Amino acid sequence: MDIFLSILYFLLIALEARSAQNLKKRDILISIILWQGPATVLSLMLLSGINAGFWSLNAPFLLEFWATPLMALLSSFKGPLLAGKPLYYYCIITIPVLLGFYYYLLSIPLLLKQKNSIRWPF
């Protein structure tokens, strides 16, 4: 059931992105920054090795909390270790950027140059 709900989360993001097709690119980017900006900052802190006390010690937990709807999918990547950390650790770090990119790609209007263009729901 958790994996189904994670996939449903992706579909909801797709529907929201499709509803943003009428917005300007600037407004879409502002939406993405407000939505995934804090998690992106935490990811950059982890990748750069910045030691900011409380924030750097709790950044992995906060990123897991931020990506709660996707944890069922991410926890299935337990397999190999990279630099002493499981693969889902690196997935958690990249999720904010990937979700922002996913939203941006789906918010770009599809221009079909056909006489009877079909408008997909997502």
Side-chain angles (χ1 to χ4, degrees):
M1 184 60 124
D2 290 340
I3 293 175
F4 170 73
L5 292 174
S6 294
I7 293 169
L8 183 63
Y9 181 70
F10 277 115
L11 291 175
L12 289 174
I13 292 171
L15 289 173
E16 173 60 31
R18 285 298 185 199
S19 71
Q21 284 186 345
N22 298 333
L23 297 176
K24 297 177 184 175
K25 285 186 180 182
R26 178 182 60 96
D27 295 335
I28 292 170
L29 290 176
I30 289 172
S31 300
I32 292 170
I33 289 170
L34 290 174
W35 175 43
Q36 292 297 324
T40 304
V41 170
L42 290 173
S43 295
L44 290 174
M45 285 175 58
L46 285 174
L47 290 174
S48 67
I50 293 175
N51 188 1
F54 171 80
W55 295 108
S56 61
L57 294 175
N58 293 313
F61 168 73
L62 293 172
L63 283 172
E64 286 178 10
F65 184 71
W66 195 271
T68 297
L70 303 175
M71 286 311 293
L73 291 175
L74 296 178
S75 63
S76 62
F77 296 120
K78 291 182 182 178
L81 295 177
L82 299 171
K85 294 186 171 47
L87 184 59
Y88 74 88
Y89 175 81
Y90 298 104
C91 291
I92 290 171
I93 290 174
T94 59
I95 282 293
V97 174
L98 293 177
L99 282 178
F101 191 64
Y102 175 68
Y103 185 89
Y104 183 75
L105 284 179
L106 291 176
S107 65
I108 298 171
L110 296 176
L111 300 175
L112 298 176
K113 296 182 180 183
Q114 297 175 354
K115 188 175 182 179
N116 297 324
S117 62
I118 299 171
R119 183 168 173 97
W120 296 96
F122 43 105

